[in-house]
Amino acid sequence: MIFGFTKSFGQHIDTVKVIKNSVYFNFGDQMIFSLRYDRTLITKKHYSFTSNVGYGFIPGDNEPVEHRHRIIVMGLHNLIGYKNFYLQFGLEPALYFNGNTTFININGSFGFRYQGGEDTRLFLQITYNPILFTTHNNIFDLPIGVGLGYRW
């Protein structure tokens, strides 16, 4: 009984809520458009580790309805920063589908990220996303990207 009171009165419980989920639209980053879900896996004082998954496309040459490539993208990112402002670096493998052709790009991801708290819940990132490795001769290269979304 004495140990129970000592333990309960001796501990400080941190009540700060950590927002771990984001959904965002991304324009660029080796595709024209993508919709992504981002999850914060590790949070420390000045460091976070996140993972994301998304679906994107590159439009076709002839008709706007026809897609040249459908893309599934995954990402692992290290974030170093203070409060809501971070430098981001990581890898984003992407699986491209086009008819009978399927190939993989491994893209780097370097940039700036703003992750708003409970007051704004804004997600904003600006990235440089170069192709580091590809299994196919891909003529499309759009390495700059902007993401905008919501956090919860």
Side-chain angles (χ1 to χ4, degrees), residues 56-59 67-71 96-98 103 136 138:
F57 69 91
I58 300 171
H67 299 313
R68 182 186 309 161
H69 296 295
R70 290 173 178 81
I71 305 154
Y96 291 72
F97 301 96
N98 179 16
F103 65 95
H136 181 70
N138 185 9

Side-chain angles (χ1 to χ4, degrees), residues 18-24 37-44 47-53 75-79 86 88 113-116 123 151-152:
V18 177
I19 299 174
K20 294 189 173 190
N21 302 294
S22 302
V23 64
Y24 63 100
Y37 168 76
D38 187 90
R39 172 80 177 171
T40 301
L41 303 174
I42 298 172
T43 302
K44 300 290 182 188
Y47 173 80
S48 291
F49 183 74
T50 67
S51 175
N52 70 46
V53 64
L76 296 172
H77 300 99
N78 295 283
L79 306 177
Y86 295 92
Q88 168 181 305
R113 184 186 285 202
Y114 174 81
Q115 296 187 146
F123 177 95
R151 294 173 44 83
W152 77 95

